[in-house]
Amino acid sequence: MPSYFAPVKDMMFLYEKLRDNKNYNDLERYNEVSSDLVKDILEEAAKINQNLILPLAKAGDENPAVLENGVVRTPPGYKEAYQKYIEDGWTSLSCDPKYGGQGMPKTVSAFFDEMLSSASLSFKLYSELSIGAYNCINHHATDEIKDKYLPKIVEGKWSGTMCLTEPVCGTDLGLLKTKAVSQSDGTYKITGQKIFITSGDHDLTENIVHLVLARSTDSPPGTKGISLFLVPKFLVNQDGSVGQRNGISTGSIETKMGIKGSATCVLNFDDATGYMIGPKDKGLNAMFTMMNLERIVVGIQGLGISEIAYQNSLAYAKERKQGKTNNSKSTNGADFIIDHADIRRTLLNMKSIIEGERALCFWLSQQTEVSLHHPDEKIKQEASDYVSLMTPVVKSLFTDLAMEITSDAMQIHGGYGYTKDQGIEQLYRDNRITPIYEGTNSVQAADLVFRKLINRNGDVISKYLEMIKSECENKHEKVKSFTKDLTHYLDILSKFTGWIVDKSKIEKDDVSAAANDYLKTLGYISIAFSWIKILEISFKDYEENKEFYSDKINTATFYFEKVLPRAEYHYKSAVSGSSNIMKFKFN
């Protein structure tokens, strides 16, 4: 089983030194969230993830969730761990105190999401969708529904799901068949089948609150006729107690490559009672409240799995001897593989990407809070635009790079990495879903280039690039060589953006073929921007902690020299166009 030590020190560095967004710091709701409080939370989070949840990863992989006589049973140890998890209040961390939550900002809860992803992604998924359901209900439901359902979800006694995908549709939800029939009492009868439903059924909670997309019988076809419904596994009595079973059954559990401890279900709705959430025929708008935040969390899943893969690769490289280095001083036997240049390069590649991603995610968490809570509508909208722009980047780039990092981790472990003994191959398998679910990474790239660069609020990408350029001004003297490099890549991204905008008017296949390259170019540059922020602190406060800041400076140097140049490669590849691709005849 892999070992794991939560990177609390690095997280606290970000929280204490990079919480530099004035608009975020103006939010009065977080005035009492001190560094000491955050450190206490993260240290407790580290304990539960390292000691209680980490062993569940192997248990869930070897003994997956099963469906027995209509009942879904989670892997051994899950029920006991989940009870401890909710008793300690982890489901309530970022929820509104009005419903029993602790009211912590996403700058804190994102760190916890990363830890939980490192420890056991399968276990995490049972509570993760609950928070998504909480956010959606909190934003769009009536006060009556909020008061009835949210306290139990926040407490962790009830869980949540989102039910979108059907056998006939995944990304193209306009094709969905699930129907909703209006009843005289204001409820609806929901009939249809949903597939690939994460945590769709299980034995961890008293009730499961499904958020279901369906079409009312009098609604138009396509996406314009989709509504959102709350459909509980068990109906809820007037006093809030759990009542009789609703018309929902589990048809099967998917047999998967990874995240085997998570029950991915086929759910059948047979005249199940549902309650409309938000306006009729506006279901996709409401569901995207859940999906967009979930996409960022999926990116954090990739970051968390990358972190544990790196930690175990580093530990193995320090103890495994193989061959002699070019400058070997050993007179008898082999050298440790960490002394080989290529292994060091691989480890630094992992480290520079992970720490840069974590810093970018912390920046995005601040923007998210501003977009949700700032009183100034203009500032709120600008932050919302930045979050919208970066959501597909974080979701896609972080998960794609996690595939690279987990693959490299297996390579460092050699044959042992390919066997189940070390647990490294499980990290690769578990992460493989992250580039697929919540909208495949290619869909995210298309969303970025066709919808996010320019929206109803104007040229968002230009505002983002100008913001980076502005923040790179007046930096520490030793940071200037890095900002000079970044300026070169910002110019490339500006040219790339202009090419995308021009091509979108005359040849959209060129844009589609370039979408993934554009997303990666933007992503690598965004991570570099995060490293600039780290470097400014590292040089300015160097004497405070020479060892820590020297590590940061050297890691950033590697990123700028060895990783950031990928951005230019993606640009050059993309602007070759799509002519050959589209004319090619596959036999």
Side-chain angles (χ1 to χ4, degrees), residues 359-466:
L360 177 58
C361 189
F362 184 70
W363 176 87
L364 187 60
S365 297
Q366 294 175 72
Q367 297 292 342
T368 301
E369 290 293 345
V370 173
S371 75
L372 294 171
H373 303 300
H374 202 280
D376 186 314
E377 285 300 321
K378 185 177 180 180
I379 292 173
K380 191 174 182 179
Q381 185 59 59
E382 182 180 65
S384 180
D385 287 341
Y386 287 154
V387 173
S388 178
L389 178 71
M390 295 309 298
T391 293
V393 174
V394 168
K395 194 280 182 185
S396 296
L397 187 65
F398 286 22
T399 57
D400 279 344
L401 289 176
M403 291 312 308
E404 174 185 324
I405 288 170
T406 52
S407 178
D408 283 346
M410 289 177 65
Q411 195 72 19
I412 287 174
H413 282 78
Y416 290 113
Y418 194 68
T419 67
K420 288 185 177 291
D421 296 345
Q422 301 286 338
I424 301 303
E425 57 84 35
Q426 185 189 337
L427 298 177
Y428 183 90
R429 288 186 291 106
D430 282 355
N431 185 74
R432 190 59 189 86
I433 187 59
T434 63
I436 298 173
Y437 62 11
E438 299 305 329
T440 67
N441 285 358
S442 290
V443 169
Q444 300 300 315
D447 178 54
L448 173 67
V449 297
F450 286 113
R451 296 189 182 94
K452 299 295 177 64
L453 300 185
I454 298 174
N455 65 18
R456 67 180 184 275
N457 301 311
D459 192 345
V460 179
I461 184 66
S462 291
K463 291 179 185 175
Y464 179 68
L465 297 183
E466 286 303 316

Side-chain angles (χ1 to χ4, degrees), residues 563-581:
V563 182
L564 183 56
R566 298 182 188 186
E568 188 163 8
Y569 156 77
H570 285 292
Y571 166 66
K572 289 180 177 178
S573 172
V575 296
S576 64
S578 65
S579 177
N580 183 57
I581 296 171

Side-chain angles (χ1 to χ4, degrees), residues 325-366:
T325 66
N326 293 326
N327 300 305
S328 178
K329 295 179 180 178
S330 174
T331 56
N332 184 22
D335 292 317
F336 291 108
I337 64 172
I338 196 169
D339 293 324
H340 290 272
D342 187 61
I343 297 295
R344 298 176 72 82
R345 176 198 60 79
T346 304
L347 290 168
L348 267 171
N349 184 68
M350 294 177 176
K351 179 177 168 61
S352 70
I353 288 170
I354 289 166
E355 292 181 13
E357 287 179 344
R358 185 177 294 124
L360 177 58
C361 189
F362 184 70
W363 176 87
L364 187 60
S365 297
Q366 294 175 72

